[in-house]
Amino acid sequence: MERMLTYVQAIGEAMSQEMSRDPSVVSFGEDNIGGMGCDGKLGNAWGPTQGLHEKFPDRIFDTPITEAAFVGAAVGAAASGLRPVVDLLFADFMGVAFDQLINQAAKLRYMFGGQGTAPLVVRTFYGAGMRGGAQHSQSLYSLVTHVPGLKVVVPSNPYDAKGLMTQAIRDEDPVIYFEHKMLYWTPGEVPEEPYTVPFGQSRLVRSGTDCTVVALGRMVGFAETAAEELAAGGVSIEIIDPRTISPLDEDSIYRSVEKTGRLVVVDESPPRCSVARDIVALVAENRFEALRGPARTVNTPHTPVPYSPALEDRYIPGPDSIVRAVLEAVEAGGWNGRRQDRLAGTQSPVA
Amino acid sequence: MLRTIRAFEERVHVEYAEGNIPGATHLYAGQEAIAAGCCAELRPDDYISSTHRGHGHAIAKGADLTRMMMELFGREGGVCRGKGGSMHIADFSVGMLGANGIAGGGVPIGCGVGLSAKVRGTDQVGVAFVGDGGANQGAFLESLSLASVWQLPVVFVVEDNGYAQATASKYHLRGLDVARRGEAFGIPGAVVDGCDFFAVRDAAVEAVRRARSGGGPSIIDCKTARFFGHMEGFDQQAYRGSGEAEKLRAERDCIQRFTASVTGAGLVSPEEFDAIDREVADEIARAAEAAKAAADPDPAELLTDVYVSY
């Protein structure tokens, strides 16, 4: 019997179940309850923590607007016996707490020689599409993936959102959990019982033979749309959703590229030093011989996120840009030649 | 404790000059009364978060001297296994959650300890040490706000040694006591002579009692003296007036004051102090010899402890 939840409900269910299971799990952030100090209760700006305050009145709190203090407090709390889930709201606000993320949380285990751990989760929502403007729309996962010591999670659907959140709370390392705000109301099948989705294991979204498409977060759905259009034109793509970018399931990407000979990586962040460029570099370094032609990346333009719908809609990579990139990849990679190979029964080995 | 910290720091000064300590080292000498006065009031299960000048805090909280010295030398048996050094000295086993390379960076961590104690229903206390420079960071002011709103069992201990690196606190604090910043958040503060062990101790007794009994956060603002430069090796202390350092040592030495007041009251004899000094000197010498003899870390250590699991 399948049960449908939205992405945001799936996150809330994971938090609720983990708070029930483990009394050391606490949650705090700006408007995390929403309404502490007022007569009424807002619930929460987006809803994942709705109802949790009634269930766990001593373990979930609102904070003043003090990102550096409460993210740092999560580090101290984690080092002294709690498992905090921090709500940072917009990913853009990360800048205010960056010291505590990159110098404190990320370094705690290493620079103290393994004496302690920082089992905390920072929940944050990211991504363009809501006309949020340049300071409320960024996809900053590439930025934190650069920092050793932080684990970075980018769920693309409700099932993964619940399993990855459960894993994130149980994980002994600091996890930055990126929620795409345009996915919050996406429904999907989500089992009621608690389960984990392990970090570093990608999901094979769709099997295909002509090109590997690695896509993250909201881009996974766009890649699926692109796949239908491409299939109608006779091009078969294989879609991989890494689910976590630190750790990254490199092996599955390599196996797929060995099978298809082509690579397109789609990532809703500016191109320079992005996850997309990083994955292309990994494949170029480790499986260059498997590539039949140049890999392609699909990123946003290298600009801040614009406000006007006419501009923002062009800014966000969509199915069309994925289709275009795949066609470029297969054409540059000897599409016709590949078909000849097949006819001759001499295609490259399939993993 | 005062003697142990001073002797440790003086030995580190010499070892640094001889090239035995490879990197960033900030000495605590002159400020011993603060670490000793505050930590004397703490239990082993209480926590502290520290500054970049963290040796004194670690020693006062009970960290092992030999393993600390090994850490400064960058050796295998170091308390952080050679990965932290002076600026990240830590000993979690005694509740010392680490010296910090970021001015003010450890203050929110102290708040987290307070939250942890509160949620877990213990009466543990978190002490966050911060310098006069770090007290200007947003993280410090944000932490005051958070600690006040959540009524955390935290003590903020400001060590105003007169200089944020080379910038004088009379310039960067505009002459105002940091303790007064607490007033804006409803946090009680005390301004004390940080060169007077007993003054610090009295303030710590009150602040820790307040925290442990659910009375919320406090600030202890200690006016103290830094005997060495900001950092070993690079700082020629050109910003100090001529004779300033000598004057501080002559007039603001917390150990001389402590010794004078204790012997004056007839509590400890000068001979007993001499015996303590000899004992401390032996202990520091043993630590330094052990550090010199210790092996370098295995190169494979480079790649461990990034994550618990990957």
Side-chain angles (χ1 to χ4, degrees):
Chain A
M1 178 68 188
E2 66 182 41
R3 187 186 64 130
M4 304 296 277
L5 287 186
T6 63
Y7 186 87
V8 72
Q9 286 170 330
I11 293 165
E13 184 167 274
M15 286 178 66
S16 178
Q17 288 176 344
E18 287 309 294
M19 289 183 85
S20 297
R21 191 184 67 84
D22 180 351
S24 69
V25 180
V26 297
S27 179
F28 49 87
E30 293 155 8
D31 279 344
N32 196 38
I33 297 170
M36 270 181 107
C38 314
D39 291 335
K41 289 276 184 286
L42 169 66
N44 168 277
W46 301 85
T49 48
Q50 261 170 14
L52 291 187
H53 186 239
E54 286 68 32
K55 278 167 129 168
F56 312 104
D58 301 324
R59 287 195 278 142
I60 180 161
F61 322 100
D62 285 348
T63 63
I65 295 181
T66 52
E67 284 90 355
F70 70 73
V71 173
V75 178
S80 58
L82 297 184
R83 305 183 85 86
V85 182
V86 174
D87 185 349
L88 193 56
L89 299 179
F90 290 86
D92 315 71
F93 303 165
M94 198 177 277
V96 188
F98 218 41
D99 170 55
Q100 295 296 330
L101 289 174
I102 70 168
N103 289 320
Q104 314 298 341
K107 309 288 191 278
L108 185 134
R109 182 164 177 77
Y110 191 86
M111 76 184 181
F112 298 141
Q115 291 185 69
T117 59
L120 64 99
V121 183
V122 176
R123 287 185 42 230
T124 187
F125 43 83
Y126 78 99
M130 291 199 70
R131 323 309 182 199
Q135 296 172 341
H136 281 63
S137 307
Q138 296 171 86
S139 299
L140 294 174
Y141 43 71
S142 300
L143 210 59
V144 286
T145 301
H146 183 71
V147 181
L150 298 176
K151 291 181 176 172
V152 183
V153 178
V154 188
S156 69
N157 63 76
Y159 178 91
D160 287 353
K162 178 174 172 180
L164 290 166
M165 176 54 76
T166 304
Q167 174 61 40
I169 294 171
R170 296 182 189 179
D171 205 274
E172 291 297 325
D173 294 310
V175 177
I176 319 290
Y177 184 98
F178 282 90
E179 305 165 10
H180 201 298
K181 43 180 110 70
M182 299 300 285
L183 294 177
Y184 269 150
W185 296 281
T186 306
E189 196 181 328
V190 178
E192 196 160 353
E193 68 275 10
Y195 60 93
T196 58
V197 169
F199 290 174
Q201 284 186 23
S202 63
R203 181 170 70 99
L204 180 64
V205 180
R206 180 184 175 112
S207 284
T209 53
D210 297 320
C211 181
T212 297
V213 174
V214 180
L216 277 179
R218 189 186 185 204
M219 299 297 109
V220 175
F222 290 168
E224 288 183 276
T225 306
E228 295 298 328
E229 190 176 323
L230 287 160
V235 177
S236 158
I237 65 171
E238 179 148 302
I239 303 174
I240 293 178
D241 172 4
R243 303 199 280 205
T244 65
I245 41 184
S246 190
L248 178 68
D249 181 1
E250 294 177 35
D251 290 343
S252 295
I253 295 169
Y254 298 153
R255 272 200 301 276
S256 180
V257 172
E258 281 168 351
K259 172 179 162 186
T260 65
R262 301 171 182 95
L263 175 65
V264 170
V265 190
V266 193
D267 151 26
E268 185 187 334
S269 77
R272 298 296 317 281
C273 299
S274 63
V275 171
R277 293 270 172 92
D278 180 56
I279 291 173
V280 166
L282 283 167
V283 170
E285 284 191 5
N286 296 296
R287 291 296 187 281
F288 186 73
E289 71 287 353
L291 287 168
R292 299 164 63 89
R296 289 278 181 266
T297 52
V298 180
N299 286 97
T300 68
H302 204 76
T303 66
V305 184
Y307 165 72
S308 161
L311 299 176
E312 189 184 30
D313 291 348
R314 287 178 63 88
Y315 170 92
I316 302 166
D320 289 353
S321 25
I322 300 170
V323 166
R324 204 160 44 245
V326 168
L327 291 176
E328 282 172 14
V330 294
E331 280 159 16
W335 166 243
N336 291 327
R338 178 78 182 273
R339 293 180 76 170
Q340 300 283 324
D341 288 351
R342 275 196 200 138
L343 290 172
T346 56
Q347 75 246 45
S348 50
V350 175
Chain B
M1 186 56 64
L2 298 169
R3 286 302 317 172
T4 306
I5 299 172
R6 179 70 55 85
F8 186 89
E9 296 298 68
E10 284 174 344
R11 181 68 181 238
V12 168
H13 182 69
V14 170
E15 296 290 346
Y16 187 94
E18 289 176 1
N20 295 326
I21 292 176
T25 305
H26 307 79
L27 297 180
Y28 193 69
Q31 307 181 198
E32 294 89 344
I34 304 170
C38 290
C39 292
E41 209 33 47
L42 298 180
R43 302 190 313 229
D45 68 336
D46 291 324
Y47 289 97
I48 63 170
S49 66
S50 177
T51 67
H52 58 287
R53 203 174 298 289
H55 306 163
H57 306 137
I59 294 170
K61 194 70 176 63
D64 183 84
L65 292 175
T66 302
R67 296 192 63 214
M68 281 181 66
M69 196 67 90
M70 286 174 169
E71 187 61 34
L72 267 58
F73 279 62
R75 299 295 162 86
E76 187 176 68
V79 69
C80 302
R81 292 157 63 199
K83 287 182 173 163
S86 162
M87 205 156 54
H88 306 308
I89 203 84
D91 189 345
F92 281 40
S93 70
V94 297
M96 161 50 171
L97 293 180
N100 213 299
I102 309 296
V107 182
I109 292 171
C111 289
V113 166
L115 174 68
S116 178
K118 202 165 175 175
V119 169
R120 290 182 293 111
T122 73
D123 65 348
Q124 289 160 292
V125 169
V127 172
F129 291 96
V130 63
D132 50 287
N136 284 331
Q137 288 276 25
F140 174 74
L141 296 161
E142 290 188 21
S143 295
L144 295 185
S145 171
L146 191 67
S148 170
V149 169
W150 284 353
Q151 283 295 289
L152 297 177
V154 175
V155 182
F156 301 99
V157 178
V158 182
E159 299 184 313
D160 181 354
N161 63 18
Y163 294 98
Q165 190 158 320
T167 302
S169 54
K170 67 187 175 203
Y171 168 81
H172 72 77
L173 293 174
R174 300 297 283 181
L176 290 176
D177 296 323
V178 176
R180 288 191 55 196
R181 295 181 176 176
E183 291 170 18
F185 299 95
I187 298 177
V191 180
V192 302
D193 182 346
C195 300
D196 178 349
F197 171 84
F198 297 103
V200 175
R201 178 72 198 272
D202 288 348
V205 167
E206 188 183 338
V208 171
R209 181 197 51 74
R210 183 180 293 124
R212 230 186 268 298
S213 62
S218 314
I219 299 178
I220 305 174
D221 183 353
C222 306
K223 309 300 183 193
T224 186
R226 188 180 81 198
F227 285 178
F228 292 103
H230 167 68
M231 184 176 171
E232 289 303 277
F234 302 102
D235 182 2
Q236 302 307 312
Q237 304 191 61
Y239 45 87
R240 293 221 207 234
S242 72
E244 184 187 312
E246 295 73 17
K247 194 161 182 277
L248 284 179
R249 282 187 184 263
E251 297 173 7
R252 301 266 292 150
D253 186 331
C254 60
I255 296 183
Q256 285 174 16
R257 283 195 195 182
F258 178 86
T259 310
S261 85
V262 172
T263 50
L267 295 170
V268 182
S269 70
E271 294 72 30
E272 284 171 300
F273 271 119
D274 289 344
I276 291 171
D277 284 353
R278 283 194 300 274
E279 199 179 309
V280 166
D282 286 350
E283 202 179 355
I284 298 299
R286 279 197 303 274
E289 293 312 314
K292 276 179 201 166
D296 283 336
D298 184 327
E301 277 287 311
L302 172 67
L303 302 178
T304 63
D305 291 326
V306 179
Y307 301 97
V308 177
S309 61
Y310 209 103

